[in-house]
Amino acid sequence: MAQQPAGTSGTLGSKNRTIITISSFTAQGKIQELKTELNIGLTEGLTVNEIKEVLVHTYAYCGFPRSITGLQTFMQVIEERKAKGIRDNIGKQASPVAGNGSKYDRGKKILSDLTGTPPPAKLSGYSAFAPAIDTFLKEHLFADIFERDVLTYAQRELVTISVISAIGNADPMLRSHLNISLRAGWTAAQLEEFIAVITPTIDSEKAAAAKAVLMGL
């Protein structure tokens, strides 16, 4: 599968650092800052389809309004760059998904692979309280979205922890996805770099909270 958890080493790299800032500003609806980072992302080598995929992924964690606004902002950036004679790399599109079994079962397996824990024998907690959200989570987020191969699992987790940090007050979910990020291939040092990159994009309280969650892993 094209998006198996990717091993990484060294620093995050300029393209992945821009994924963080794009995701953060999208989640917060900071349009002017987002336009700047979208331009930087394209200059650093992110393809148009990679950035579109980042912006689409954000909706699962900050909602359609912010995600669609991000996409509309990106459309403006592309047109402005075209007017200047800049032709950006479109990049590959997502491959057709040829998974076996139901979307629910595929999503359940992907989630299990990401967390490193076997699926529970029966639903509990919020999943048992509202089974519909468990179905949406497995079928849509971890099947429909994570099965797409434009971004790696590691990059998708980078988008996820960026959005969660930017919206704030979701420490348990941030903790969970920071642990998933480690399993997806990021190192502890790279997650510390993540904190350094996202800190200037969010307020000091959210930055301190994100750092505290990482230090508590």
Side-chain angles (χ1 to χ4, degrees):
M1 191 163 56
Q3 66 223 67
Q4 285 289 344
T8 56
S9 60
T11 66
L12 288 171
S14 59
K15 290 199 294 185
N16 290 319
R17 286 194 293 270
T18 309
I19 285 176
I20 295 169
T21 53
I22 289 172
S23 301
S24 176
F25 289 135
T26 299
Q28 297 173 82
K30 293 184 175 180
I31 304 305
Q32 291 307 311
E33 294 88 342
L34 176 58
K35 288 186 72 173
T36 297
E37 295 305 313
L38 290 168
N39 276 287
I40 292 173
L42 290 168
T43 300
E44 292 294 344
L46 285 172
T47 69
V48 170
N49 282 333
E50 284 172 335
I51 293 178
K52 284 198 292 186
E53 199 73 20
V54 167
L55 295 170
V56 169
H57 188 103
T58 63
Y59 102 82
Y61 295 94
C62 64
F64 278 115
R66 290 290 165 83
S67 175
I68 291 174
T69 299
L71 287 164
Q72 291 169 331
T73 302
F74 190 32
M75 291 168 64
Q76 294 173 8
V77 167
I78 292 172
E79 289 306 311
E80 289 170 2
R81 291 169 68 89
K82 283 182 180 179
K84 296 175 182 177
I86 302 172
R87 294 296 180 263
D88 295 301
N89 181 11
I90 300 300
K92 71 173 185 177
Q93 296 187 3
S95 304
V97 174
N100 296 318
S102 69
K103 283 202 297 185
Y104 184 86
D105 288 337
R106 299 201 315 268
K108 183 166 65 173
K109 182 181 185 307
I110 289 171
L111 177 58
S112 178
D113 290 342
L114 286 167
T115 60
T117 58
K122 62 179 182 178
L123 299 181
S124 62
Y126 71 84
S127 294
F129 181 68
I133 198 70
D134 178 73
T135 299
F136 297 154
L137 186 76
K138 302 292 198 317
E139 291 188 354
H140 186 46
L141 177 57
F142 290 106
D144 286 338
I145 297 179
F146 267 80
E147 281 186 317
R148 293 169 62 84
D149 61 0
V150 176
L151 300 176
T152 65
Y153 284 166
Q155 287 173 318
R156 290 190 181 280
E157 283 305 313
L158 206 57
V159 176
T160 301
I161 59 177
S162 298
V163 172
I164 296 172
S165 298
I167 63 178
N169 296 315
D171 290 359
M173 183 171 287
L174 179 59
R175 183 176 300 107
S176 173
H177 281 281
L178 285 169
N179 277 310
I180 290 174
S181 296
L182 290 169
R183 283 189 53 82
W186 300 120
T187 66
Q190 287 168 326
L191 292 183
E192 290 177 10
E193 185 182 356
F194 156 75
I195 296 295
V197 173
I198 201 170
T199 291
T201 73
I202 56 180
D203 66 43
S204 58
E205 184 177 347
K206 290 176 181 177
K211 183 176 180 180
V213 173
L214 178 60
M215 295 300 102
L217 293 183

